[in-house]
Amino acid sequence: KHTKQHSSTRRHHNHHHRYPSNQSATMSTEEETKPATEETPKEATTEEPKEEESTAQFEPVVKLEEVEVKSGEEDEEVVYGIRSKLFIFGETLLDAGTGNKTWKERGIGEARLLRHKEHQRLRLLMRQEKTMKIIANHAMDPRIKLEPNVGSDRSWVWSAYDFAEGELKETVFALRFADSDIAQTFKKHFEEAQAEMEKLLAGEDKPGEDGGKAADEAAEALAGLSTKEGEEEGKDKDKDEEKPKAQ
């Protein structure tokens, strides 16, 4: 009786031992199959399609020939140049014909003093820095007088005949610089260019004795350059005229 009971108990224990072993076997099988399912997408993401270099050639429909563009300054050398902001004193489009004049900003760019390589005459030329449009263009007439702008030590005001728009036009300019030191440096070079121009004109005629005729002719001659961007002659500002304030 004891033998049968012992035998029954042993079978019962064996039954319990076999169940976990089957479960662990099932788990190990699942563990073995898991990495395979996880690795598959990783391998797929690392593979990239190979790019083939295109060998196709396309000819332009219209072939444009290179054209040399001249600025009109090829025959001149730069004596001095400085970045600044230019204002002119005159009527706005809304005030045209009314006589009401105000300061208008004409643009920012490099104000340059240029000397012609052949006849040595000098002019002031300034272009708007983004569009390269000419915004000031006049001869360095010895009669021009730079005057300090009211309330500012970094700008100068003067009057001259401007040729920026294709015809000589009396214009009042105000040129503003970054600081007073630059303004003084500009004045120094400006007056040196005037002195050089005065000596040049004296060899052709004597300004003052001819009422400024030589300077007038010089301005018109510079206006007739191949660029059609003539220069203006300077003109003294009327002392009785009220000095405008630059913005």
Side-chain angles (χ1 to χ4, degrees):
K1 189 173 182 180
H2 283 289
T3 306
K4 288 181 181 179
Q5 187 176 0
H6 180 72
S7 202
S8 173
T9 305
R10 190 165 47 186
R11 283 198 302 271
H12 180 72
H13 282 297
N14 289 341
H15 176 73
H16 284 289
H17 281 299
R18 283 196 300 269
Y19 181 75
S21 63
N22 291 339
Q23 186 179 14
S24 62
T26 306
M27 290 176 65
S28 63
T29 306
E30 290 177 357
E31 288 175 358
E32 288 176 1
T33 56
K34 265 185 183 180
T37 57
E38 291 178 355
E39 288 176 4
T40 304
K42 288 183 180 179
E43 292 176 0
T45 54
T46 55
E47 292 182 2
E48 295 181 358
K50 294 181 180 180
E51 295 183 1
E52 295 184 2
E53 186 178 352
S54 175
T55 57
Q57 296 182 354
F58 298 93
E59 292 291 333
V61 178
V62 179
K63 292 184 178 181
L64 300 178
E65 296 182 0
E66 186 176 349
V67 178
E68 184 180 359
V69 179
K70 293 185 178 182
S71 65
E73 303 164 34
E74 291 79 13
D75 296 328
E76 295 171 291
E77 58 184 355
V78 179
V79 177
Y80 176 74
I82 187 66
R83 189 173 185 268
S84 51
K85 181 180 288 188
L86 181 70
F87 298 84
I88 59 170
F89 189 69
E91 296 177 346
T92 63
L93 292 175
L94 296 176
D95 294 329
T98 63
N100 296 328
K101 296 182 179 182
T102 56
W103 283 106
K104 302 178 295 180
E105 182 179 335
R106 185 170 270 191
I108 298 174
E110 185 182 18
R112 294 180 297 162
L113 303 178
L114 305 177
R115 181 192 295 116
H116 199 279
K117 296 176 183 178
E118 184 178 347
H119 52 62
Q120 301 298 306
R121 288 171 178 167
L122 296 103
R123 64 167 169 162
L124 181 142
L125 180 69
M126 186 172 180
R127 292 179 183 271
Q128 198 172 41
E129 62 183 8
K130 292 184 178 180
T131 63
M132 298 308 291
K133 177 185 177 182
I134 294 177
I135 54 178
N137 185 19
H138 69 74
M140 292 303 298
D141 191 323
R143 297 173 294 174
I144 296 175
K145 301 294 182 183
L146 292 183
E147 298 181 7
N149 189 24
V150 176
S152 176
D153 62 351
R154 60 188 184 102
S155 61
W156 298 106
V157 176
W158 73 93
S159 177
Y161 281 104
D162 186 32
F163 199 76
E165 297 180 353
E167 60 180 5
L168 291 174
K169 181 181 179 181
E170 186 176 6
T171 307
V172 179
F173 298 100
L175 199 58
R176 190 165 68 193
F177 306 92
D179 55 52
S180 58
D181 291 338
I182 295 176
Q184 291 298 325
T185 302
F186 173 82
K187 184 175 186 289
K188 174 179 174 290
H189 286 284
F190 192 95
E191 292 178 345
E192 287 176 354
Q194 283 184 291
E196 185 178 334
M197 190 71 163
E198 185 174 15
K199 291 180 181 178
L200 182 65
L201 295 176
E204 302 172 1
D205 206 335
K206 293 184 179 180
E209 292 184 6
D210 63 352
K213 183 179 178 182
D216 294 343
E217 291 176 353
E220 292 179 6
L222 290 174
L225 289 175
S226 59
T227 59
K228 303 301 182 184
E229 298 169 359
E231 349 297 306
E232 338 99 84
E233 62 185 53
K235 187 174 183 180
D236 289 334
K237 188 179 179 182
D238 190 348
K239 295 182 180 179
D240 296 330
E241 180 183 356
E242 183 181 356
K243 186 185 299 181
K245 293 183 180 180
Q247 293 177 347

